[in-house]
Amino acid sequence: MEDTVTEAVRKQYEAYSYPPPIEDAEKFLRKWGPLTCDPKFAGIQLWPEGRPRQDLRILCAGCGSSQAPLIALNNPDCSVLGIDLSETSLAHSNRLRDRHGLANLELRQMSLLDVGELNRSFDLIICTGVLHHLPNPDAGLKALAEVLDPSGSMAIMLYGKTGRAGVYLLQDILRRLGAGQNAEGLAMARELLKFVPSHHYLISTTGKLPNDLAEDAGIVDMLLHPQDRAYSVPEIMEFVETAGLIFFGWSDNALYCADRFLSGEMLERVLALPAAEQWAVIDNLTVLNSRHDFFVRKPHNMRFLTRFDTDDFLSYVPLVRSGVRLAGDVNSLILTRASLEGEVVTPISKSDALLLEQADGKKSIAQILSHSLSTGGEPEQRTNFARAVFERMWRSGHLLFGRSNS
């Protein structure tokens, strides 16, 4: 059964390359910037303690038509291996490799379930939009975990259960109608989309049909796929733990931030819950997340997790996330930035702002407090004030944290 499903998935991506191929990786990066899983973009999230080496060994597991070339182009000192089931997708990647002279990129047609046969280990494994298409995602993640270096990190994207409710309702309709991955099935899907009402789950969070449904490959991938599943937050936590890994953080905390969507007594109640429970509440409440982007590592790296329940946070080195802007006036200050699901706006006080303006990615929180003129009072009061401010900014995704070597 598993081989049958895997073969059906392979044939789909042979016939309908997805994501759509790109012709020029340099133009793509100039227009859109690095991928969110790129170590140049997410390095501090992947390795708060500092990346293990400059010449990273990177595996793009299920690299599709362009992911591996984009990573290789943007990280010329690193060696990148892209693997995929689809010969068509690899052909697109190979053209990009030739066009840009990517000597650091290797491409192979193979299943990620067979990565152990490579007899290699990797400092970074990128697997986005792949595991949820396997008949047995648990086996896929375990296979990747076995080739992850002890100091390595993994960037994963899985479909989100709350944000894809409408997708699965339409998938069910098309299965009942017998729609296949052919011209007739595509025509049937396009005809069905004409009748989707504005209050349907497929539309309601955005006000319009998803952009992916404008092209045949997108319709096939979203509505006619032979195998996909989606995950709730608790299911992600179980998925990661079952593979013997630890959840190491979201790509953007703002999508799971209680402060952003709640206030008053309800916010206090939710913030009293463990972090994973907070994330589950917000995911269920907002139904924003059609995808979950996150990082995982091996258990002995748990000491590098970001947490604020001890004074160890004083050794963290705060860095303001790219794109964050201070706006408003002295009586009504806000931090604002764009995110995957809309603008993130966070009110802050003048005292907060004076503390945050010293977050330069070089000084630890302890060093900031020792030189700060922004807060008076006893050392314990200053520490608790800093804890509250930096934790709230972390929950909102405005701040990232490295680790001080001192």
Side-chain angles (χ1 to χ4, degrees):
M1 175 63 181
E2 287 194 9
D3 288 343
T4 302
V5 173
T6 300
E7 179 61 13
V9 172
R10 185 192 69 78
K11 287 182 176 179
Q12 173 186 319
Y13 290 111
E14 293 283 358
Y16 301 95
S17 290
Y18 186 86
I22 63 176
E23 297 301 321
D24 189 311
E26 288 180 344
K27 286 184 178 179
F28 180 94
L29 289 172
R30 281 198 299 270
K31 181 176 181 179
W32 301 106
L35 304 177
T36 56
C37 54
D38 191 314
K40 270 197 173 181
F41 178 86
I44 193 172
Q45 293 171 281
L46 293 163
W47 301 286
E49 74 277 23
R51 60 194 284 170
R53 49 196 283 172
Q54 292 307 302
D55 56 337
L56 297 172
R57 301 159 298 177
I58 301 174
L59 171 66
C60 294
C63 62
S65 60
S66 59
Q67 184 188 71
L70 288 168
I71 295 294
L73 178 61
N74 215 33
N75 298 271
D77 294 333
C78 302
S79 61
V80 180
L81 171 61
I83 64 172
D84 203 281
L85 284 174
S86 167
E87 185 178 351
T88 302
S89 294
L90 290 171
H92 289 303
S93 287
N94 194 49
R95 282 193 285 274
L96 289 172
R97 179 176 63 180
D98 293 344
R99 175 170 187 149
H100 299 289
L102 301 173
N104 62 330
L105 173 60
E106 178 187 357
L107 297 168
R108 289 197 182 195
Q109 185 177 15
M110 64 182 297
S111 167
L112 65 79
L113 294 170
D114 299 326
V115 291
E117 298 175 6
L118 296 170
N119 293 316
R120 302 190 204 177
S121 64
F122 299 91
D123 304 298
L124 173 61
I125 297 176
I126 298 170
C127 190
T128 57
V130 181
L131 292 168
H132 50 230
H133 290 315
L134 297 181
N136 186 345
D138 287 338
L141 186 57
K142 287 178 180 177
L144 295 178
E146 289 175 0
V147 297
L148 182 65
D149 188 84
S151 63
S153 282
M154 200 182 306
I156 297 174
M157 185 276 278
L158 297 174
Y159 287 149
K161 183 171 284 187
T162 62
R164 280 178 66 87
V167 170
Y168 296 117
L169 292 173
L170 262 69
Q171 281 188 7
D172 182 73
I173 294 171
L174 290 167
R175 273 194 295 269
R176 294 174 189 276
L177 294 173
Q181 291 184 347
N182 49 39
E184 182 182 2
L186 277 164
M188 198 181 303
R190 288 190 183 279
E191 183 68 14
L192 176 62
L193 289 172
K194 296 177 183 177
F195 296 96
V196 176
S198 60
H199 61 267
H200 194 277
Y201 293 137
L202 189 69
I203 294 176
S204 57
T205 58
T206 62
K208 61 180 181 178
L209 288 171
N211 293 332
D212 286 353
L213 297 179
E215 302 293 337
D216 286 354
I219 291 176
V220 170
D221 191 72
M222 186 176 291
L223 301 181
L224 298 172
H225 206 292
Q227 171 71 39
D228 81 58
R229 64 160 294 183
Y231 289 76
S232 65
V233 170
E235 287 168 344
I236 287 175
M237 301 302 147
E238 181 180 358
F239 180 56
V240 171
E241 183 179 355
T242 298
L245 298 166
I246 59 169
F247 181 85
F248 205 68
W250 303 110
S251 176
D252 189 348
N253 282 349
L255 301 175
Y256 309 85
C257 176
D259 309 65
R260 186 180 173 198
F261 302 101
L262 301 172
S263 61
E265 184 178 344
M266 182 55 66
L267 174 60
E268 292 179 11
R269 287 180 179 274
V270 172
L271 290 180
L273 298 172
E277 292 295 298
Q278 295 178 35
W279 302 330
V281 167
I282 298 306
D283 187 44
N284 287 345
L285 178 68
T286 65
V287 297
L288 280 175
N289 298 313
S290 60
R291 56 185 283 173
H292 298 291
D293 292 88
F294 59 96
F295 307 108
V296 300
R297 297 187 72 176
K298 292 196 168 178
H300 67 272
N301 295 292
M302 189 172 292
R303 66 189 185 278
F304 300 124
L305 281 169
T306 298
R307 50 190 296 180
F308 292 87
D309 54 350
T310 73
D311 284 350
D312 289 346
F313 84 95
L314 292 168
S315 67
Y316 296 175
V317 179
L319 174 69
V320 178
R321 184 191 286 266
S322 176
V324 173
R325 296 184 299 107
L326 180 64
D329 56 47
V330 69
N331 297 315
S332 181
L333 293 171
I334 61 169
L335 291 182
T336 178
R337 66 179 172 88
S339 79
L340 190 64
E341 298 293 347
E343 189 178 28
V344 183
V345 179
T346 307
I348 62 171
S349 69
K350 183 178 178 181
S351 295
D352 296 345
L354 289 171
L355 194 62
L356 293 172
E357 70 180 11
Q358 298 182 64
D360 58 3
K362 298 177 182 178
K363 295 191 290 290
S364 69
I365 294 175
Q367 290 170 326
I368 289 173
L369 286 179
S370 69
H371 294 94
S372 175
L373 301 176
S374 60
T375 55
E378 298 299 320
E380 184 177 356
Q381 291 176 307
R382 291 162 60 84
T383 296
N384 289 336
F385 173 74
R387 189 196 314 271
V389 173
F390 285 114
E391 182 175 9
R392 187 163 71 95
M393 294 302 103
W394 173 74
R395 287 200 304 267
S396 301
H398 294 315
L399 287 184
L400 307 174
F401 294 99
R403 298 295 182 267
S404 173
N405 293 322
S406 59

